[in-house]
Amino acid sequence: MSFEGFPFNLGWELTLACNLRCNHCASAAGLPRHNELTKEEALKICDQFPELLVQEVNFTGGEPLLSPYWAEIALYLKDLGISTNIITNGLALDSKIVSQMKNVGISDVGISLDGLETTHDYIRGHKGSFKQVLRSIELLQQENIRIIVITTVNNLNIDELPAILHLLQSVGIQYWRVQPLIPMGRANNFKKLYMDNAGILKLGKFIQCWEPKSKNEGTHIICSDGLEYIDGISNCERPWRGCPAGWVTCSITSDGKVKGCLSLPDNLIEGDLRKDDFWSIWFHPDSFAYTRRFSDKELGSNCSSCNKAMECLGGCSSNSYAASGKFHNDPYCFYRINKNSV
């Protein structure tokens, strides 16, 4: 075994079924995948996690609460000593489900908020969704479940970021994750959501300005999907060292396929858990070649001349592949855009 890393953190798409049809959804979620895993198959997959040193599993979708087995899988993982989180749009949350989350050991709940009321409801395609998110936050707070609000930043909501931050602070949110729109899936039908270089620059400047202030006031801004590499924020605590897929994390689709990240297209599959065991897929010499076999020769034109390239390894794999058709070529790099704007 030449590679010695382990998937400490897993993303698990429990179902692709969803009760919304969001304009920006990279997965184009709505209907379940054909032949999704049964409960028995899912639990057998869970049995393989301890030997691979899995520490945390993040349930996502689609809408993971539409899986009839989410609570049983969470409880099973709890008994295995593995932490579980869930990412939801909040529409299905009620006091009964929140209580159930508490009972089965859900550690964190990520809940999506994509703008102020009019913008959020438009992006989510459901009038009243914004109010339901705020109600869901109240319910989770009543059970003392840690909340991470997630905002996918796009051309429609970028100017609302200061107001969103103020709103989150007013309701006591401690963690706010911001991520750029990934140009794939249903987002391809709503290109007015796409941000240009000016939008990425505005987003990065917002984070630089507000991250230290908001942290002091009790709300931590968490950067993801390539935004980790923004100078002037507290990323020195955990420096960005490129896409972690295949090094310390990977994902499982609802039909049992393994890929580096759920935001990558479905053709980029490393293996099938219905055909091979997880250990064999993870340690296969050809798995996750785009990260494990990286060299500077793989850098695309957006990254090849950058002095940070060998640190960030070409940025977010999902953004890079979706926007440019290749890895290590992230066009949504704030560092590059900001440097070129000076």
Side-chain angles (χ1 to χ4, degrees):
M1 185 176 72
S2 58
F3 177 73
E4 297 183 355
F6 288 90
F8 301 122
N9 186 294
L10 291 180
W12 193 344
E13 174 197 271
L14 292 184
T15 179
L16 198 57
C18 191
N19 47 8
L20 292 176
R21 300 293 187 272
C22 301
N23 299 342
H24 65 331
C25 181
S27 301
L31 298 176
R33 292 183 188 272
H34 174 70
N35 197 22
E36 294 190 329
L37 295 169
T38 65
K39 180 180 71 173
E40 290 72 24
E41 288 176 316
L43 297 181
K44 287 181 180 178
I45 290 172
C46 293
D47 286 331
Q48 302 177 54
F49 291 169
E51 68 173 355
L52 281 165
L53 307 184
V54 173
Q55 305 296 307
E56 181 176 272
V57 176
N58 299 286
F59 296 141
T60 183
E63 171 51 58
L65 294 177
L66 296 187
S67 166
Y69 318 125
W70 72 266
E72 291 174 84
I73 296 171
L75 186 58
Y76 196 81
L77 289 172
K78 179 183 178 183
D79 291 341
L80 290 174
I82 297 172
S83 175
T84 55
N85 309 316
I86 198 161
I87 299 173
T88 176
N89 59 40
L91 199 62
L93 274 182
D94 56 25
S95 57
K96 180 180 178 181
I97 289 178
V98 172
S99 178
Q100 195 173 20
M101 286 179 173
K102 187 79 170 180
N103 292 336
V104 300
I106 296 292
S107 298
D108 297 346
V109 174
I111 189 164
S112 300
L113 184 72
D114 290 312
L116 301 179
E117 185 167 6
T118 299
T119 303
H120 175 90
D121 284 358
Y122 169 77
I123 290 172
R124 294 278 157 178
H126 184 88
K127 188 174 178 59
S129 175
F130 177 86
K131 288 185 171 66
Q132 179 59 35
V133 168
L134 295 184
R135 175 58 180 157
S136 296
I137 287 172
E138 289 182 17
L139 293 173
L140 292 164
Q141 288 172 330
Q142 289 170 11
E143 289 287 354
N144 295 314
I145 297 176
R146 191 167 77 160
I147 303 164
I148 301 173
V149 170
I150 303 169
T151 299
T152 298
V153 182
N154 58 72
N155 195 46
L156 292 186
N157 65 18
I158 189 166
D159 290 326
E160 297 181 356
L161 293 180
I164 295 171
L165 175 57
H166 179 73
L167 170 65
L168 298 182
Q169 290 173 328
S170 72
V171 297
I173 293 298
Q174 295 180 309
Y175 301 95
W176 182 29
R177 174 179 159 187
V178 293
Q179 58 193 34
L181 175 80
I182 296 177
M184 61 179 287
R186 196 171 288 119
N188 286 330
N189 298 323
F190 295 90
K191 294 190 176 181
K192 65 181 178 180
L193 298 176
Y194 287 12
M195 287 190 294
D196 57 14
N197 283 0
I200 296 296
L201 191 62
K202 184 183 293 186
L203 172 56
K205 295 290 187 182
F206 169 82
I207 293 169
Q208 283 183 325
C209 174
W210 287 98
E211 193 274 344
K213 298 177 185 178
S214 64
K215 184 177 181 180
N216 289 336
E217 295 171 1
T219 300
H220 297 253
I221 297 177
I222 304 167
C223 297
S224 63
D225 293 349
L227 293 179
E228 295 93 337
Y229 218 142
I230 293 180
D231 288 344
I233 64 171
S234 57
N235 58 3
C236 57
E237 298 172 4
R238 190 183 64 179
W240 172 240
R241 289 293 181 262
C243 175
W247 290 106
V248 294
T249 186
C250 70
S251 299
I252 301 170
T253 64
S254 58
D255 56 356
K257 307 296 195 306
V258 174
K259 56 182 180 178
C261 174
L262 289 170
S263 295
L264 289 171
D266 282 346
N267 61 307
L268 298 175
I269 296 297
E270 307 299 329
D272 187 340
L273 289 168
R274 281 175 161 147
K275 298 178 181 178
D276 297 294
D277 64 86
F278 202 177
W279 182 279
S280 298
I281 295 171
W282 178 257
F283 286 111
H284 193 282
D286 294 329
S287 290
F288 311 100
Y290 55 94
T291 53
R292 293 181 184 175
R293 296 184 184 178
F294 171 79
S295 75
D296 58 357
K297 295 179 181 178
E298 304 295 321
L299 293 168
S301 58
N302 290 320
C303 303
S304 57
S305 62
C306 181
N307 64 317
K308 299 284 190 181
M310 297 309 294
E311 295 177 36
C312 82
L313 313 183
C316 171
S317 292
S318 298
N319 267 325
S320 180
Y321 196 88
S324 72
K326 65 176 296 179
F327 294 113
H328 318 298
N329 192 43
D330 189 352
Y332 300 126
C333 172
F334 171 75
Y335 178 79
R336 175 182 58 82
I337 295 169
N338 187 44
K339 186 177 179 181
N340 292 341
S341 70
V342 177

